[in-house]
């Protein structure tokens, strides 16, 4: 098989999704599986659906189209605010989208009317993280306009934390969202049925709270795929941490000094690196580099260290476990490495436990 490849163990992804779904269900919270880091891979979507996830969220309409065209039967949610220019495509391809802008919602309304559909929207509320979201003080005004729009149904409210500003979902901001929900319901005499409180970073809040308030949905990506909660990257009990592994091939293995020799300037990436003299060492090079993956988020699965990388190479200190040319070495990945490896055309995608 062509290296490098990324190995996606669908049975383990299914297990992780099932465990989280069941745990959250006992708290009255439904799980939306977020496939954007998977580029909407239909095999992965099926693994989520087999874990009884009904809602699939993705930030890219292209990924949603890909899953739909592959026959995935789910409620598709566009979790990044739609581009106004793509309103018709969003209405045609999704049942729900997350929104913050009146001009976009109006465009969705036009598209829904002309396609004779009802498009459901969730209004995202800014709760401190300063990525997307309508300020709390402006939500009532927006709802007042939205509820009279043809072709649009206001499904609920949501927020996204721990993404841009690293703000933790906690008792206070989650309760704020619940209170805002209740206030809007009584002001407009409506029922908001979906209150989506956040992403994998909300699992810590969930484990600590007795009262989830009105929050009845979380959108989970990283916790399902990597088995980690995302505030401290601690492993979630019972989940597989190796559902996804990156495999690369050794293309050179030699004993060399640990210090470069000769006058030195910037390296290929404009960095002036420092080195420690450890004498001679076994150095192995794998045929994978920064054009394939964010190397800084790779975790070696073996007794070797990453010394550095260039576009096409990762240099390993393999003194403790000598490696031979042709050997395959395995790495676990953080979210950034997973995202880049999945997106790289040079990294083969290999699915394990694929159902016939
Ligand atoms: C709006 C939104 N919700 C949920 C998620 C999923 O986040 P995580 O992978 O941390 O669970 C993302 C990330 O892609 C997102 O942008």
């Amino acid at each position: 098989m062509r290296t490098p490849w990324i190995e996606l163990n669908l049975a383990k992804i299914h297990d992780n999704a099932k465990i989280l779904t069941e745990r959250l269900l006992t708290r009255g919270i439904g799980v939306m599986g977020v496939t954007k880091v998977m580029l909407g891979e239909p095999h992965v979507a099926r693994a989520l659906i087999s874990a009884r996830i009904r809602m699939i969220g993705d930030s890219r309409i292209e990924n949603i189209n890909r899953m739909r065209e592959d026959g995935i039967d789910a409620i598709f949610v566009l979790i990044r605010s739609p581009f106004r220019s793509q309103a018709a495509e969003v209405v045609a391809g999704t049942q729900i989208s997350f929104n913050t802008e009146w001009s976009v919602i109006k465009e969705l309304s036009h598209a829904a009317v002309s396609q004779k559909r009802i498009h459901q929207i969730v209004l995202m509320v800014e709760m401190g993280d300063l990525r997307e979201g309508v300020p709390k003080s402006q939500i009532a005004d927006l709802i007042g306009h939205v509820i009279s729009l043809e072709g649009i149904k206001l499904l609920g409210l949501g927020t996204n934390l721990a993404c841009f500003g690293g703000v933790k979902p906690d008792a206070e901001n989650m309760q704020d969202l619940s209170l805002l929900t209740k206030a809007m319901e009584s002001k407009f005499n409506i029922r908001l049925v979906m209150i989506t409180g956040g992403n994998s970073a909300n699992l810590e809040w969930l484990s600590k709270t007795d009262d989830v308030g009105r929050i009845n949905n979380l959108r989970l990506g990283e916790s399902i795929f990597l088995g980690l909660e995302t505030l401290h990257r601690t492993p979630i009990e019972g989940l597989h941490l190796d559902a996804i592994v990156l495999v690369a091939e050794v293309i050179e293995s030699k004993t060399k000094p640990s210090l470069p020799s000769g006058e030195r300037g910037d390296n290929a990436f404009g960095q002036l690196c420092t080195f420690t003299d450890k004498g001679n060492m076994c150095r192995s090079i794998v045929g994978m580099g920064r054009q394939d993956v964010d190397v800084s988020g790779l975790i070696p699965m073996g007794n070797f260290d990453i010394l550095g990388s260039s576009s096409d190479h990762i240099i390993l200190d393999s003194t403790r476990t000598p490696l031979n040319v042709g050997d395959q070495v395995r790495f676990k990945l953080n979210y950034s490495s997973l995202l880049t490896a999945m997106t790289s055309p040079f990294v083969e995608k290999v699915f394990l436990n694929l159902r016939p």
Side-chain angles (χ1 to χ4, degrees), residues 34 36-37 59 79-80 98 124 131-132 159-160 163 198-201 219-223 230 233 335:
V34 176
K36 81 117 188 263
V37 73
S59 53
I79 61 171
R80 178 172 70 177
F98 287 4
M124 295 299 275
R131 205 181 71 176
E132 76 276 35
T159 196
N160 196 58
C163 243
N199 52 47
S200 298
R219 314 174 300 272
L220 303 183
E222 183 168 346
S223 50
T230 56
R233 261 71 201 191
Y335 190 76

Side-chain angles (χ1 to χ4, degrees), residues 226-283:
L226 299 181
L228 304 172
E229 66 76 43
T230 56
L231 283 178
H232 316 283
R233 261 71 201 191
T234 40
I236 300 171
E237 206 196 325
L239 265 58
H240 301 285
L241 305 178
D242 59 351
I244 301 170
V245 168
L246 189 61
V247 181
E249 182 175 331
V250 176
I251 58 171
E252 180 185 301
S253 203
K254 297 190 189 306
T255 301
K256 292 187 189 179
S258 41
L259 280 185
S261 51
E263 200 181 333
R264 295 180 46 228
D266 284 355
N267 69 11
F269 289 90
Q271 298 153 333
L272 190 59
C273 300
T274 51
F275 298 88
T276 329
D277 190 359
K278 297 182 186 167
N280 279 353
M281 53 166 62
C282 288
R283 296 168 75 99

Side-chain angles (χ1 to χ4, degrees), residues 81-238:
S81 311
F83 301 165
R84 202 170 59 181
S85 56
Q86 290 179 344
E89 196 179 350
V90 171
V91 167
T94 69
Q95 289 92 330
I96 305 169
S97 63
F98 287 4
N99 284 271
T100 62
E101 288 290 347
W102 171 237
S103 68
V104 175
I105 300 168
K106 267 196 307 185
E107 210 57 43
L108 291 170
S109 161
H110 292 145
V113 170
S114 73
Q115 293 177 32
K116 299 190 173 47
R117 288 172 192 255
I118 300 293
H119 184 71
Q120 303 180 86
I121 65 167
V122 169
L123 293 179
M124 295 299 275
V125 185
E126 165 52 48
M127 309 281 305
D129 201 54
L130 295 180
R131 205 181 71 176
E132 76 276 35
V134 182
K136 278 182 278 180
S137 58
Q138 295 168 23
I139 267 285
D141 194 36
L142 186 56
I143 292 180
H145 287 91
V146 162
I147 52 177
S148 54
L149 269 184
E150 256 188 285
I152 296 291
K153 177 173 170 17
L154 177 60
L155 188 65
L157 299 180
T159 196
N160 196 58
L161 295 166
C163 243
F164 179 69
V167 172
K168 288 183 178 186
D170 59 18
E172 199 179 327
N173 48 39
M174 288 299 104
Q175 195 189 21
D176 272 1
L177 186 59
S178 290
L179 290 175
L180 186 67
T181 302
K182 287 180 200 160
M184 293 304 109
E185 286 180 338
S186 56
K187 184 174 174 68
F188 294 102
N189 194 23
I190 53 174
R191 177 78 182 156
L192 297 170
V193 297
M194 177 169 158
I195 310 301
T196 179
N199 52 47
S200 298
N202 283 58
L203 295 172
E204 186 180 79
W205 157 77
L206 187 62
S207 70
K208 286 184 176 161
T209 190
D210 292 329
D211 179 14
V212 299
R214 288 293 303 278
I215 312 302
N216 61 7
N217 176 272
L218 290 180
R219 314 174 300 272
L220 303 183
E222 183 168 346
S223 50
I224 295 177
F225 301 123
L226 299 181
L228 304 172
E229 66 76 43
T230 56
L231 283 178
H232 316 283
R233 261 71 201 191
T234 40
I236 300 171
E237 206 196 325

